[in-house]
Amino acid sequence: MAPVKVFGSAAFTNVARVLVCLEEVGAEYEIVDIDFHIKEHKGSEHLARNPFGQVPAFQDGDLILFQSRAISRYVLRKYKTAGEVNLLREGNPGESALVDVWLDVEALQYDPIMNLVFVQHRVVPALGGTPDESVISESVEKLRKVLDVYEAQLTKHRYLAGDFVSLVDLSHFPETHYFMGMPYAAVLDSYPRVRAWLEDLFSRPAVKKVVSLMAKDFN
Amino acid sequence: MAPVKVFGSAAFTNVARVLVCLEEVGAEYEIVDIDFHIKEHKGSEHLARNPFGQVPAFQDGDLILFQSRAISRYVLRKYKTAGEVNLLREGNPGESALVDVWLDVEALQYDPIMNLVFVQHRVVPALGGTPDESVISESVEKLRKVLDVYEAQLTKHRYLAGDFVSLVDLSHFPETHYFMGMPYAAVLDSYPRVRAWLEDLFSRPAVKKVVSLMAKDFN
């Protein structure tokens, strides 16, 4: 089987999300860097893969995909038969529905907040600007509301979708990894169950591997 | 089989998304209104269904779900065996992956823009405020970029995920229905394929039915 291809550097959180799934299932894959400095992401070759000119894109033979969570679902389905990994729970209608629920929470509630903080703290200064502290503090307040819900859920269950690890948990790691290196990460100290869940998550070999790839690429 | 329950009024686009799926598969369902005026959405009973205090929530026996797209997936899987309807394409790995891709596009790129416009045009004046026209015009500019991609996709395929109608197309209708009643809807005139796709979508009996429920509830 020819290795699947992931277009985009591991330093992008949306790329890292796909990579951790590939690592979890032990798939053979190739990372193809897209050079943003020469606007390769807006070139016709990349736009044919991802019409929004974003990363990641993904190729498996003739099939081209984009959107990190959709690619992650595809990867976890494709390689499911290869091992014990069952990160979508698709055999069980209730459990797979709860994976869908909490993956939408991550995508629509958690990730946008994390992304706003990341842009202000890392991207704005890198472009010579000054972070808007009010955007950061409003975002941290919104984050608290989400973490209140997570803490309650993780008091009832070991993982977000239930007592099983799933794509939901993995999907949180890339943005959270960057956030944990920022001064605002102290907010997590008020949430012991969330802290324990993150420690568990970051101890997974697949997550450790992708964290090392992110560090190498981030500059 | 006891009817499933949907909590929240059809006037909410996220509720309408679930209802159209139930209509498409011919499921028996009951709508349970949540009274926002008396803050029922923040009461303990509703928070047990949806910890973020939002609508919709959904109940099928002991299973409680929230997040409209996750509920929609569950509904389309549950009733799939009942008829010819195949709006997730789960039997086909490539097609179902493309449904996931374009559903994420709807959720993460299209819907947030539509939502910003709706809030400024309908919610802000209803609360006695003045719409921020710059937010609206920036949103319409962003919408054009998304519609450029849609027009190209709908030139290649009859529907967004391919040559088959899917949850992706249905999922666009609630926000688009409100948008089409606003002066900014003229932007759609530059996109003939998008226009034809929407006409096709709004001619579906399930969509017509839910549009009538939305009108009844919107006040």
Side-chain angles (χ1 to χ4, degrees), chain B:
Chain B
M1 199 152 49
V4 296
K5 288 182 185 171
V6 179
F7 297 85
S9 145
F12 290 95
T13 56
N14 289 334
V15 176
R17 178 174 296 112
V18 170
L19 298 180
V20 81
C21 293
L22 288 161
E23 288 290 338
E24 285 281 350
V25 296
E28 226 188 307
Y29 65 91
E30 182 189 339
I31 299 177
V32 182
D33 200 22
I34 299 295
D35 190 343
F36 279 65
H37 295 102
I38 60 164
K39 291 202 183 294
E40 194 180 355
H41 60 304
K42 300 293 184 193
S44 60
E45 221 169 320
H46 190 66
L47 287 173
R49 296 175 201 120
N50 183 331
F52 294 97
Q54 298 163 341
V55 292
F58 175 88
Q59 184 172 8
D60 181 11
D62 291 340
L63 183 69
I64 310 272
L65 302 174
F66 58 102
Q67 294 289 353
S68 64
R69 293 169 193 84
I71 300 168
S72 297
R73 286 177 188 269
Y74 176 81
V75 164
L76 295 177
R77 274 185 206 130
K78 177 180 167 90
Y79 297 95
K80 185 178 172 251
T81 44
E84 296 298 300
V85 185
N86 185 3
L87 295 164
L88 293 175
R89 314 297 287 190
E90 289 197 329
N92 182 316
E95 287 180 356
S96 66
L98 288 164
V99 170
D100 290 338
V101 167
W102 289 92
L103 191 62
D104 278 356
V105 169
E106 181 273 316
L108 299 170
Q109 314 220 37
Y110 186 85
D111 192 77
I113 297 171
M114 284 295 185
N115 203 263
L116 275 178
V117 175
F118 182 81
V119 165
Q120 290 300 324
H121 187 75
R122 297 288 281 262
V123 181
V124 168
L127 297 173
T130 307
D132 185 334
E133 290 296 335
S134 72
V135 170
I136 294 177
S137 58
E138 276 167 35
S139 298
V140 172
E141 273 320 293
K142 282 186 192 164
L143 181 62
R144 275 185 213 278
K145 296 210 168 81
V146 175
L147 292 176
D148 287 341
V149 172
Y150 281 20
E151 186 74 6
Q153 179 71 359
L154 293 167
T155 303
K156 280 185 283 182
H157 298 289
R158 189 165 163 204
Y159 295 98
L160 277 181
D163 291 313
F164 48 86
V165 66
S166 72
L167 173 58
V168 173
D169 309 294
L170 295 175
S171 199
H172 281 78
F173 109 81
E175 290 278 9
T176 310
H177 169 59
Y178 286 140
F179 183 76
M180 285 166 81
M182 299 179 199
Y184 327 107
V187 66
L188 295 169
D189 295 342
S190 316
Y191 301 94
R193 300 283 183 160
V194 171
R195 270 252 170 244
W197 165 71
L198 289 175
E199 267 166 44
D200 180 8
L201 184 61
F202 280 90
S203 72
R204 295 180 76 83
V207 174
K208 283 185 179 171
K209 171 75 186 289
V210 182
V211 163
S212 73
L213 296 175
M214 292 170 86
K216 195 165 66 66
D217 282 357
F218 197 85
N219 52 39

Side-chain angles (χ1 to χ4, degrees), chain A:
Chain A
M1 201 152 46
V4 296
K5 288 183 186 172
V6 179
F7 297 86
S9 145
F12 290 95
T13 56
N14 289 335
V15 176
R17 178 173 296 111
V18 170
L19 297 180
V20 82
C21 292
L22 289 161
E23 288 290 337
E24 285 281 350
V25 297
E28 227 187 304
Y29 65 91
E30 182 190 338
I31 299 176
V32 182
D33 200 21
I34 298 296
D35 191 341
F36 279 64
H37 296 103
I38 60 163
K39 292 202 183 296
E40 193 180 356
H41 60 306
K42 299 294 183 192
S44 59
E45 221 169 321
H46 189 66
L47 287 173
R49 295 176 200 121
N50 182 331
F52 293 97
Q54 298 163 341
V55 291
F58 175 87
Q59 184 172 9
D60 182 11
D62 290 339
L63 183 69
I64 310 273
L65 302 173
F66 59 102
Q67 293 289 356
S68 64
R69 292 169 194 85
I71 301 169
S72 298
R73 286 176 188 269
Y74 176 81
V75 164
L76 295 177
R77 275 186 205 130
K78 178 181 167 90
Y79 297 95
K80 186 177 171 249
T81 45
E84 295 298 300
V85 185
N86 185 3
L87 295 164
L88 293 175
R89 315 295 287 190
E90 289 197 330
N92 181 316
E95 288 180 356
S96 66
L98 288 164
V99 170
D100 290 337
V101 167
W102 290 91
L103 191 62
D104 278 355
V105 170
E106 181 272 317
L108 299 170
Q109 315 221 37
Y110 186 84
D111 192 77
I113 297 172
M114 285 296 186
N115 202 262
L116 274 178
V117 175
F118 182 81
V119 165
Q120 290 299 325
H121 187 75
R122 297 287 282 263
V123 180
V124 168
L127 298 175
T130 307
D132 185 334
E133 290 296 334
S134 72
V135 171
I136 294 178
S137 59
E138 276 167 35
S139 299
V140 171
E141 274 321 292
K142 282 185 193 165
L143 181 62
R144 275 185 213 279
K145 296 210 168 83
V146 175
L147 291 176
D148 287 343
V149 172
Y150 282 20
E151 186 74 7
Q153 179 71 357
L154 293 166
T155 302
K156 283 184 281 181
H157 298 288
R158 190 163 163 207
Y159 296 97
L160 279 181
D163 291 314
F164 49 85
V165 66
S166 72
L167 172 59
V168 173
D169 309 293
L170 295 175
S171 197
H172 281 78
F173 109 82
E175 290 277 8
T176 310
H177 169 59
Y178 286 140
F179 183 75
M180 286 166 80
M182 298 179 199
Y184 327 108
V187 68
L188 295 169
D189 294 342
S190 317
Y191 301 93
R193 300 282 184 159
V194 171
R195 270 250 170 245
W197 165 71
L198 289 174
E199 266 165 44
D200 180 7
L201 184 61
F202 280 90
S203 73
R204 294 179 75 83
V207 173
K208 284 185 179 171
K209 171 72 186 290
V210 182
V211 163
S212 73
L213 295 176
M214 292 169 87
K216 196 164 65 68
D217 282 357
F218 197 84
N219 53 37

